[in-house]
């Protein structure tokens, strides 16, 4: 069986590689020539744990190939997966130009029956547009080649993408065609041995499922951030509240960790896009509007605490910042809270030295010389008036506080992920600010 996967980003590259792992012959296509050159050289342009091994193994076996030619990749393909980006357009709705460009090219080059699968996250109605564009191109060619469309949203998480793809909780497939259903079943059967289901449904419900999942998760995060802020006001400890509710089987313990606001390439844009879809249909998704507003606000909490601690005299202060990626185990900085926090601090005249275990190249690419970059977490703290922890990489969880105390000019930590214990911080006489818990302040405000 041969398939073509278009777009070699986090989703396309992981999907293509994992399909190859089951014995399918996969050709991945991207318009970015540099990326394809790198991949053909056996190098991976993104950081994703576990990807390199399986990528190299399948390249070696000849089951995984990379090209810039969609036309060539469609030869013998039984399905083509569209996994290109769907960034927010100017009004926040999903920008479909990349998806529809691929559909147009499929229409130009398709030469036999195949299933055209939309894996990108796309608003309801996109599959209809994909179908129409392919039909239009076929009409231009004066040919009648049969094809079917299917919606197959992806639920992998950056940082555990390979594992998520190989052992999915469920596979969602929207299609109206029995033939497409068979092709999708054959492709996904090897991933369902863990007993999790493939759920077939109509295309619109499938497209809605993806947005609903992300919107629900974003809602949980914003809800807990809101509760965390109230906990601080009333003197409760949000960590205790979280444990208290997380043990309720109706609620569960996932996605109820307060922090600096959600980021990444999916939640912000998907929440926005769903709001726009509803608006376009004359319906106001009020909960999601609140979720989005709360998230903007949450990204300002740490910088506000820092300014308050220094009585607004922050100009020229030196701050160490740990964690640039939007979450651990990825180098992705799209919509990362770190960027919002850095922006607010730079505006206030703060000097920043950052460190991230894997997102340094990405950080340098995005931020250039606006901030300094350190070689490790301790170097970032040299002469720093304060440390801000933005991403909860495991290596930040148990630092040597004695070394930090010696290196830093101040003795203040702003912990955006609640990874340190307030009791221990008090014992060590740090000023310690976290999210939704009591601030610990000592007499050493401006050491
Ligand atoms: P990405 O930006 O990392 O990669 C997109 C790739 O598509 C790029 O390499 C780009 O060069 C390529 N591309 C654009 N136009 C092309 C064309 N016409 N032909 C060939 N290649 C083209 O994107 P991503 O993070 O992999 O996301 C892809 C889609 O999957 C999005 O809709 C996203 O919302 C969705 N998604 C992402 C995640 C995630 O964690 N990143 C998870 C689930 C779903």
């Amino acid at each position: 069986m041969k398939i073509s996967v278009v777009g070699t980003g986090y989703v396309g590259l992981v999907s293509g590689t994992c399909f190859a792992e089951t014995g399918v012959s996969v050709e991945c296509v991207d318009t970015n020539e540099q990326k394809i050159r790198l991949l053909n050289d056996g190098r991976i342009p993104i950081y994703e744990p576990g990807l390199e091994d399986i990528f190299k193994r399948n390249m070696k076996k000849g089951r995984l190939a990379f090209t810039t030619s969609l036309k060539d990749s469609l030869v013998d393909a039984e399905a083509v997966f569209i996994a290109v980006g769907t960034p927010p357009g100017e009004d926040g709705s999903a920008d479909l130009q990349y998806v529809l460009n691929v559909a147009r090219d499929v229409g130009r080059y398709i030469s036999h029956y195949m299933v055209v699968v939309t894996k990108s996250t796309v608003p309801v109605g996109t599959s209809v547009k994909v179908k129409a564009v392919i039909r239009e191109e076929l009409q231009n060619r004066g040919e009648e080649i049969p094809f079917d469309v299917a919606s197959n949203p992806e639920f992998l998480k950056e940082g555990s993408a390979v594992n998520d793809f190989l052992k999915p909780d469920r596979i969602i497939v929207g299609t109206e065609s029995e033939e497409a259903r068979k092709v999708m079943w054959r492709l996904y059967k090897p991933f369902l041995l863990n007993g999790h289901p493939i759920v077939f449904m109509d295309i619109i419900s499938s497209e809605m499922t993806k947005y609903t999942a992300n919107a629900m998760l974003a809602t949980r995060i914003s809800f807990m951030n809101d509760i965390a802020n109230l906990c601080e006001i009333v003197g409760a400890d949000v960590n205790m509240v979280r444990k208290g509710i997380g043990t309720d089987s109706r609620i569960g313990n996932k996605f109820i960790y307060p922090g600096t606001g959600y980021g990444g390439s999916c939640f912000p844009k998907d929440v926005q896009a769903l709001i726009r879809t509803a608006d376009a249909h004359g319906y106001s998704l009020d909960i999601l509007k609140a979720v989005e507003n709360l998230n903007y606000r949450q990204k300002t909490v740490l910088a506000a605490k820092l300014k308050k601690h220094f009585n607004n005299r922050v100009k020229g202060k030196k701050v160490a910042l740990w964690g640039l990626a939007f979450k651990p185990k990825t180098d992705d900085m799209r919509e990362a809270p770190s960027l919002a926090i850095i922006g607010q601090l730079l505006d206030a005249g703060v000097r920043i030295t950052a460190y991230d275990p894997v997102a340094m190249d990405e950080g340098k690419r995005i931020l250039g010389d606006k901030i300094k970059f350190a070689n490790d977490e301790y170097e970032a703290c040299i002469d720093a008036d304060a440390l801000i922890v933005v991403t909860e990489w495991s290596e930040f969880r148990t630092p040597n506080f004695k070394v930090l105390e010696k290196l830093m000019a101040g003795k203040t930590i702003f912990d955006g992920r609640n990874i340190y214990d307030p009791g221990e911080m008090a014992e060590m006489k740090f000023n310690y600010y976290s999210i939704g818990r009591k601030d610990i302040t000592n007499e050493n405000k401006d050491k």
Side-chain angles (χ1 to χ4, degrees):
M1 186 169 194
K2 183 191 161 187
I3 62 166
S4 166
V5 178
V6 191
T8 58
Y10 289 86
V11 168
L13 185 56
V14 171
S15 311
T17 307
C18 291
F19 276 130
E21 181 73 355
T22 67
V24 172
S25 183
V26 181
E27 195 150 27
C28 294
V29 187
D30 207 291
T31 43
N32 185 329
E33 289 176 13
Q34 200 190 344
K35 238 182 199 182
I36 292 298
R37 218 174 302 127
L38 207 69
L39 288 160
N40 275 325
D41 281 351
R43 288 184 292 155
I44 298 179
I46 53 169
Y47 175 83
E48 194 54 57
L51 183 58
E52 193 165 349
D53 268 6
I54 148 173
F55 165 84
K56 287 202 162 140
R57 186 167 55 244
N58 285 285
M59 285 276 279
K60 213 167 166 183
K61 287 267 185 185
R63 289 193 295 251
L64 184 60
F66 297 92
T67 178
T68 52
S69 168
L70 177 69
K71 184 179 179 188
D72 293 349
S73 86
L74 293 183
V75 176
D76 300 335
E78 289 186 50
V80 52
F81 283 76
I82 304 178
V84 297
T86 45
E90 268 175 25
D91 65 347
S93 60
D95 180 351
L96 291 179
Q97 62 167 311
Y98 305 100
V99 169
L100 295 179
N101 281 347
V102 178
R104 196 160 294 288
D105 283 344
V106 170
R108 276 183 197 137
Y109 304 127
I110 188 171
S111 58
H112 57 279
Y113 172 83
M114 69 175 67
V115 186
V116 182
V117 188
T118 309
K119 192 166 250 322
S120 301
T121 303
V122 292
V124 287
T126 302
S127 291
V128 176
K129 289 184 184 163
V130 165
K131 202 174 188 171
V133 165
I134 298 174
R135 280 226 175 99
E136 196 181 301
E137 285 303 319
L138 283 170
Q139 257 169 19
N140 291 344
R141 286 166 56 184
E143 302 207 48
E144 265 187 43
I145 298 165
F147 71 94
D148 281 312
V149 291
S151 154
N152 171 223
E154 182 50 55
F155 295 92
L156 62 75
K157 301 180 287 298
E158 285 176 28
S160 59
V162 172
N163 195 50
D164 290 345
F165 199 94
L166 293 175
K167 295 177 189 151
D169 287 344
R170 69 345 198 153
I171 301 292
I172 302 291
V173 175
T175 186
E176 269 93 50
S177 139
E178 191 51 38
E179 187 73 26
R181 203 179 150 112
K182 279 187 196 148
V183 171
M184 297 301 278
W185 171 248
R186 254 194 305 141
L187 270 170
Y188 275 113
K189 206 168 65 166
F191 302 102
L192 299 169
L193 302 174
N194 60 358
H196 292 298
I198 183 164
V199 184
F200 287 102
M201 55 181 77
D202 61 279
I203 290 178
I204 292 180
S205 302
S206 167
E207 290 170 337
M208 266 305 281
T209 299
K210 173 64 192 176
Y211 281 102
T212 307
N214 277 357
M216 168 71 93
L217 296 172
T219 301
R220 283 171 72 99
I221 294 171
S222 273
F223 173 75
M224 277 314 279
N225 284 334
D226 216 14
I227 293 292
N229 296 336
L230 180 61
C231 282
E232 271 183 42
I233 295 166
V234 300
D237 178 337
V238 76
N239 263 15
M240 291 297 119
V241 175
R242 174 179 59 75
K243 283 180 191 157
I245 64 164
T247 43
D248 185 325
S249 60
R250 294 168 304 175
I251 296 173
N253 57 15
K254 294 194 176 139
F255 283 84
I256 55 170
Y257 285 75
T260 53
Y262 59 77
S265 66
C266 293
F267 288 3
K269 83 170 170 64
D270 292 350
V271 165
Q272 241 181 56
L274 192 54
I275 291 171
R276 296 296 165 266
T277 297
D279 284 346
H281 286 79
Y283 186 77
S284 177
L285 275 176
D286 292 342
I287 288 183
L288 283 193
K289 287 177 181 171
V291 164
E292 196 180 34
N293 285 335
L294 277 161
N295 199 53
Y296 286 129
R297 199 169 78 193
Q298 199 64 18
K299 288 183 178 178
T300 66
V301 165
L302 277 193
K305 283 182 186 246
L306 183 134
K307 286 177 195 167
K308 192 169 168 211
H309 173 80
F310 289 110
N311 295 322
N312 274 325
R313 289 196 294 270
V314 293
K315 195 164 179 208
K317 291 278 180 213
K318 191 176 170 219
V319 164
L321 186 141
W322 287 0
L324 290 165
F326 85 93
K327 67 174 180 179
K329 296 191 192 165
T330 181
D331 59 349
D332 198 340
M333 285 179 60
R334 287 177 281 188
E335 299 286 332
S338 66
L339 290 173
I341 294 166
I342 287 170
Q344 292 150 27
L345 295 182
L346 288 178
D347 285 348
V350 174
R351 295 173 297 148
I352 301 166
T353 304
Y355 172 73
D356 187 286
V358 304
M360 295 297 272
D361 288 345
E362 188 63 358
K364 286 174 189 168
R365 189 184 69 76
I366 295 172
L367 294 159
D369 57 6
K370 286 187 189 151
I371 65 167
K372 288 196 173 134
F373 296 92
N375 291 312
D376 63 46
E377 61 268 46
Y378 291 103
E379 189 187 305
C381 290
I382 295 172
D383 294 333
D385 296 295
L387 163 66
I388 295 194
V389 182
V390 184
T391 317
E392 69 278 30
W393 284 94
S394 38
E395 62 198 87
F396 298 157
R397 283 173 192 264
T398 322
N400 188 329
F401 288 105
K402 289 220 165 73
V403 173
L404 286 186
E405 196 178 337
K406 277 193 195 132
L407 290 176
M408 289 172 66
K411 209 177 167 186
T412 304
I413 297 179
F414 298 90
D415 175 1
R417 300 291 173 175
N418 289 356
I419 56 178
Y420 305 131
D421 178 53
E424 282 177 28
M425 302 311 288
E427 254 171 50
M428 291 185 283
K429 302 235 175 323
F430 272 90
N431 299 312
Y432 178 65
Y433 298 87
S434 54
I435 306 287
R437 302 187 296 180
K438 221 181 262 155
D439 295 335
I440 312 281
T441 46
N442 295 294
E443 292 310 306
N444 54 354
K445 267 201 166 181
D446 286 306
K447 191 178 125 186

